[in-house]
Amino acid sequence: MSSPAPAKRLYIKTYGCQMNVYDSERMADVLAPLGYGVTDDPAGADLVVLNTCHIREKATEKLYSELGKIREMKEARAAAGGQMMIAVAGCVAQAEGAEIMRRQPAVDLVVGPQAYHQLPELIARVHRARGERLAADFAPQAKFDALTAERRPTGVTAFLTVQEGCDKFCSFCVVPYTRGAEWSRGPDAIEAEARALADKGVREITLLGQNVNAYAGDGGLAGLVRRLAKIPGVERIRYTTSHPRDMDEALIAAHAEVAELMPYLHLPVQSGSDRILKAMNRGHTAESYLRLIERVRGSRPGIALSGDFIVGFPGERDADFEATLSLVREVGYASAFSFKYSRRPGTPAAAMPGQAAEEVKDERLARLQALLDDQQMAFNQSQAGRTLPVLFEKLGRHEGQLIGRSPYLQSVHAVAPDRLIGQIVPVRIESAARNSLAGALELEPA
Ligand code: 5AD
Ligand code: SF4
């Protein structure tokens, strides 16, 4: 996926105290995975960081006079066909903030001492604004990509990519760096593809995107869902993966009003601890997530909820992990994915203190998964005795049996004739296991 990063040169000028010297070293550390190596020649640098100090008088005036010189170097570089990025860090950055960029427009970014962990994000945003992709040396992460990978349409269900990229910059995640900014396909192209799929016999379409509910076409994702629901043959619509921050009222209302939109929502929360959620840069709290879930359930009672979780994030203490367990108990998930935190070079969390021991991660993951497994089993068992509309997809393992999906995305096995593949048929659920349901056709097919 990614080629090795082209070498970039980083010049850091440090003013003031030992603290600033230490901070400058840390900045160099967090930027190394993005391809930046330290140089002592500002004129040839791709990125110049002035790490400022407020302690002496006239620090601000000194900064602007230094910036004047650096700006000339930036202009000389641009004249020679190169580029230079200028960042101001440290206490003067903290005190002056955006004023620095107003007074010296050659400055690309300003970062206060509390925000060094955000440097990779800030730098990536400047690269993106120039239309560049960061060729950082991240190893391709097949495990996470596989969760959202597009698959070829096979039979009666299909994935349809409507959105790519991510602007959320969760501190553990490489996606914003490797996949670039959030981008949405035009609705006309999407509708055309959906019609073509329906013509080929597809009955269920899952709209895909790293942040699918950030879909920015007309009317947002809710508008797109309503539009696709009108296509003859499109009987079921799903979407994944969503971010809590982009779950708007229109989409919540669509769950009540659009019959084709299935009662299933994958809404990752990652952690139940506000302290950890903050360090993850998630932009929501446990409470705001729970309130959101309440609204979704108010709109579509009985909706199946799914989520992603990370255990052993840097700094996660027992109490934080317990908060995750209690959030899980409060929500009650129908299914979930849970992961041990894995350190991804170039992400802010990789440089955070308090990296958890492997045994701690193993133990927490086992406890979380035991709870989630119980919930999944309980959800499946709650369907026993009900009659569910099942979209049959393919032949089952046993003679005469078909496999399909319930509205809640559960696998359902039933004895049924082959010709029902591609049809939605009422099935009475007789038994439930953790990963599937078994049932019988409600009516003898004519
Ligand atoms: N470590 C562990 N899990 C991760 N995920 C993403 N990055 C990491 C990481 N560095 C998980 C998140 C995300 C899912 C797709 O993968 O839970 O929602
Ligand atoms: Fe974006 Fe999801 Fe990665 Fe967060 S976890 S940065 S929302 S892709």
Side-chain angles (χ1 to χ4, degrees):
M1 183 171 71
S2 58
S3 48
K8 290 191 165 69
R9 279 155 300 183
L10 165 66
Y11 173 79
I12 307 186
K13 179 159 181 163
T14 310
Y15 300 84
C17 63
Q18 240 356 82
M19 194 65 194
N20 265 14
V21 173
Y22 172 80
D23 284 347
S24 292
E25 284 166 9
R26 277 188 48 214
M27 285 190 250
D29 289 344
V30 299
L31 292 172
L34 295 183
Y36 284 96
V38 174
T39 172
D40 51 17
D41 166 31
D46 301 284
L47 170 61
V48 171
V49 178
L50 300 182
N51 191 7
T52 60
C53 172
H54 219 182
I55 225 155
R56 304 233 171 80
E57 272 179 276
K58 298 206 182 112
T60 313
E61 288 321 307
K62 267 209 280 199
L63 170 67
Y64 287 111
S65 99
E66 185 71 23
L67 282 173
K69 285 186 232 158
I70 306 280
R71 189 185 90 181
E72 283 170 23
M73 295 178 198
K74 181 174 179 166
E75 285 165 356
R77 236 176 113 74
Q83 268 184 329
M84 180 190 286
M85 200 187 297
I86 304 177
V88 178
C91 305
V92 181
Q94 177 80 8
E96 298 278 299
E99 174 62 19
I100 296 174
M101 290 162 88
R102 272 193 294 276
R103 257 185 84 175
Q104 180 47 274
V107 173
D108 295 281
L109 63 97
V110 175
V111 53
Q114 303 315 319
Y116 294 145
H117 60 284
Q118 286 172 3
L119 258 185
E121 166 175 350
L122 296 169
I123 302 276
R125 285 187 187 278
V126 174
H127 280 286
R128 281 175 174 192
R130 295 178 180 166
E132 298 164 8
R133 278 228 169 157
L134 268 179
D137 64 349
F138 301 118
Q141 185 63 359
K143 183 174 95 181
F144 304 129
D145 290 350
L147 290 174
T148 50
E150 189 176 5
R151 277 193 254 140
R152 303 208 149 273
T154 55
V156 302
T157 64
F159 290 119
L160 203 175
T161 298
V162 304
Q163 184 276 337
E164 272 179 29
C166 180
D167 290 346
K168 302 298 185 289
F169 289 96
C170 297
S171 62
F172 50 80
C173 183
V174 296
V175 168
Y177 306 100
T178 55
R179 296 289 178 94
E182 285 174 6
W183 173 86
S184 299
R185 271 178 87 187
D188 294 342
I190 295 168
E191 182 177 340
E193 191 173 334
R195 284 187 186 277
L197 289 169
D199 288 346
K200 282 189 224 140
V202 168
R203 295 289 158 262
E204 174 176 307
I205 294 180
T206 300
L207 306 177
L208 285 186
Q210 252 109 28
N211 267 286
V212 73
N213 60 343
Y215 179 74
D218 256 358
L221 187 63
L224 185 66
V225 164
R226 287 177 191 270
R227 189 167 164 175
L228 300 183
K230 296 200 184 92
I231 298 174
V234 173
E235 295 179 44
R236 291 182 162 189
I237 299 174
R238 304 179 186 276
Y239 59 91
T240 197
T241 286
S242 297
H243 194 291
R245 264 150 73 185
D246 293 317
M247 203 68 214
D248 63 10
E249 284 308 323
L251 188 55
I252 294 173
H255 274 282
E257 293 159 13
V258 181
E260 290 80 1
L261 186 57
M262 289 294 98
Y264 177 95
L265 176 63
H266 181 69
L267 195 63
V269 64
Q270 314 296 357
S271 168
S273 154
D274 287 344
R275 207 172 63 81
I276 297 300
L277 287 169
K278 189 153 191 277
M280 287 177 163
N281 194 31
R282 288 286 297 174
H284 62 78
T285 61
E287 189 53 37
S288 68
Y289 179 85
L290 289 169
R291 277 202 308 271
L292 184 55
I293 295 291
E294 241 169 55
R295 273 156 52 215
V296 169
R297 282 192 159 136
S299 174
R300 186 65 175 86
I303 191 167
L305 293 165
S306 170
D308 290 346
F309 299 88
I310 294 177
V311 299
F313 185 83
E316 186 186 74
R317 304 181 194 131
D318 283 338
D320 299 305
F321 176 64
E322 293 299 332
T324 299
L325 293 179
S326 78
L327 178 139
V328 169
R329 284 188 206 102
E330 193 156 342
V331 171
Y333 287 92
S335 74
F337 302 92
S338 43
F339 310 97
K340 288 191 277 182
Y341 169 70
S342 120
R343 199 170 180 169
R344 315 298 307 144
T347 60
M352 287 181 189
Q355 300 285 327
E358 208 52 34
E359 308 81 72
V360 173
K361 292 185 200 173
D362 286 332
E363 198 252 347
R364 289 181 184 166
L365 187 67
R367 283 180 63 200
L368 176 60
Q369 288 187 339
L371 175 59
L372 290 167
D373 283 355
D374 286 351
Q375 292 193 341
Q376 184 167 331
M377 186 69 189
F379 180 79
N380 286 351
Q381 281 173 339
S382 74
Q383 307 299 327
R386 288 186 67 190
T387 296
L388 298 179
V390 171
L391 171 59
F392 282 118
E393 294 177 13
K394 57 187 179 198
L395 297 179
R397 251 188 300 150
H398 303 291
E399 183 76 31
Q401 198 190 48
L402 296 184
I403 299 183
R405 296 247 181 212
S406 77
Y408 308 110
L409 204 60
Q410 298 150 302
S411 278
V412 182
H413 304 251
V415 171
D418 299 5
R419 63 186 169 75
L420 292 185
I421 289 177
Q423 292 194 36
I424 297 173
V425 180
V427 173
R428 195 179 151 77
I429 304 304
E430 292 170 335
S431 65
R434 187 157 64 77
N435 290 313
S436 65
L437 306 177
L441 296 189
E442 180 83 326
L443 304 164
E444 273 311 304

